[in-house]
Amino acid sequence: FTVTGPSRSAFVDMVAFISVSFPVSRASNVDRWPAATQNRGRLSSVTPPVPTSRSWTVSSRRVFIFCMEASKAGFQTSVDELKRKLIEAVKDTSRGRMVSNFQLQTIQNLIYDIEKRNPTSRPALSPALDGCWKLLFTTRPGTASPIQRLVVGTVPEVYQLVSLKCPEEERRIKNIAGLGPVGRLTVEAAASLTDPSGDRVNFQFDRAAFRIRFVPFKVPYPVPFRLLGDEAKGWLDITYLDEDFRIARGNKKTIFVLQKTSIEDLGDPE
């Protein structure tokens, strides 16, 4: 087999370590084997000497500890590398609107590999979830809800402000669509954390407004949220979360890839 990538150096070091931990004295072993076995140059039924049980146990423990440490280092490096590859892969897809089948398969494979390495248990309850996130990519943009299509459509940039570490009645998610020099549209939702797994955030859209540059007040967006019924409701399962990267899967089987950013990046529409 072939070992490549960040794990290669760790693998080479491990092989070298095992060689030192299990030294074989060829001279002493050959002296103990029968002469006939030495001269035939092929496999023999005579079993060569093995290390004593005590030396084997000590060496095995050392190798096990070494492998565990090498595995930890390779694991963390591989997550960072996978995130870098995913960011590069989605860069020119207009957040998923312009992507080929081959690109989509590559992106989904990277997402799956990253999700398997999620370092945060019960991510919906983690303080790391709060803050400002920039949307990098989403799947199935054409089959999402009308509200999602509105927010992640052809606008230049999309951000999400998450505020969950607060009293229940104040928990909010704000989806902000940048409109370039004109201003921005904010679609807000009330959020709740009722799932016992700690992975899911429930939401219900309830208001929306334009913030237009040089206009000193918000312009309400005429969406009849109460009439939309279930279309205004949904949930997000947080499948990967660290301090600066998030992957989520929605109730309409949509995948979202977001990167944490500063709220200052939103700018001031006024």
Side-chain angles (χ1 to χ4, degrees):
F1 64 96
T2 303
V3 180
T4 59
S7 300
R8 181 178 179 85
S9 60
F11 177 79
V12 172
D13 291 342
M14 182 177 68
V15 172
F17 183 86
I18 292 175
S19 301
V20 175
S21 300
F22 295 97
V24 177
S25 175
R26 296 190 177 183
S28 60
N29 283 341
V30 171
D31 290 343
R32 296 181 187 181
W33 293 6
T37 303
Q38 301 175 29
N39 296 331
R40 280 200 295 267
R42 62 176 183 270
L43 293 176
S44 168
S45 60
V46 178
T47 304
V50 297
T52 65
S53 59
R54 184 174 182 277
S55 64
W56 179 269
T57 301
V58 172
S59 296
S60 297
R61 288 175 180 171
R62 292 169 64 191
V63 171
F64 176 76
I65 293 172
F66 177 85
C67 291
M68 289 295 291
E69 293 301 320
S71 176
K72 289 179 184 178
F75 182 84
Q76 185 57 45
T77 302
S78 65
V79 172
D80 294 339
E81 181 66 13
L82 287 169
K83 286 162 56 178
R84 185 194 65 78
K85 288 182 178 180
L86 179 56
I87 292 172
E88 184 65 25
V90 305
K91 184 172 62 176
D92 298 320
T93 65
S94 295
R95 297 189 303 276
R97 290 184 299 106
M98 300 174 60
V99 58
S100 67
N101 290 334
F102 176 77
Q103 284 178 302
L104 182 59
Q105 186 62 54
T106 300
I107 291 168
Q108 289 179 326
N109 288 341
L110 287 167
I111 288 173
Y112 178 70
D113 286 341
I114 293 172
E115 287 176 323
K116 290 189 297 184
R117 293 161 169 81
N118 181 24
T120 308
S121 61
R122 300 170 66 82
L125 306 179
S126 171
L129 184 56
D130 273 25
C132 183
W133 299 84
K134 182 177 182 178
L135 181 67
L136 302 181
F137 179 83
T138 179
T139 59
R140 300 166 57 87
T143 59
S145 70
I147 299 173
Q148 182 183 320
R149 289 199 298 269
L150 169 69
V151 174
V152 302
T154 58
V155 298
E157 293 182 324
V158 177
Y159 296 88
Q160 188 176 78
L161 286 176
V162 179
S163 180
L164 299 178
K165 305 305 291 183
C166 55
E168 184 175 354
E169 64 277 5
E170 298 177 12
R171 292 171 179 165
R172 306 287 295 175
I173 295 177
K174 298 180 181 181
N175 296 307
I176 302 173
L179 304 176
V182 176
R184 63 191 184 214
L185 168 65
T186 300
V187 180
E188 299 187 32
S192 62
L193 303 170
T194 59
D195 187 69
S197 70
D199 298 333
R200 180 167 295 181
V201 179
N202 301 297
F203 61 85
Q204 180 171 355
F205 292 107
D206 57 7
R207 71 179 72 151
F210 287 102
R211 193 72 179 271
I212 301 174
R213 192 178 298 274
F214 305 122
V215 175
F217 54 86
K218 296 180 181 179
V219 179
Y221 186 80
V223 178
F225 290 105
R226 293 182 181 179
L227 299 180
L228 288 176
D230 290 342
E231 286 289 349
K233 300 177 183 178
W235 48 259
L236 289 172
D237 281 342
I238 312 302
T239 56
Y240 182 91
L241 177 67
D242 61 26
E243 293 299 325
D244 61 3
F245 204 78
R246 170 162 63 101
I247 299 174
R249 293 178 180 262
N251 54 297
K252 293 183 178 294
K253 299 183 179 179
T254 309
I255 303 175
F256 302 91
V257 178
L258 305 99
Q259 189 173 32
K260 208 161 205 178
T261 185
S262 171
I263 195 170
E264 282 75 20
D265 290 346
L266 290 173
D268 187 352
E270 300 178 357

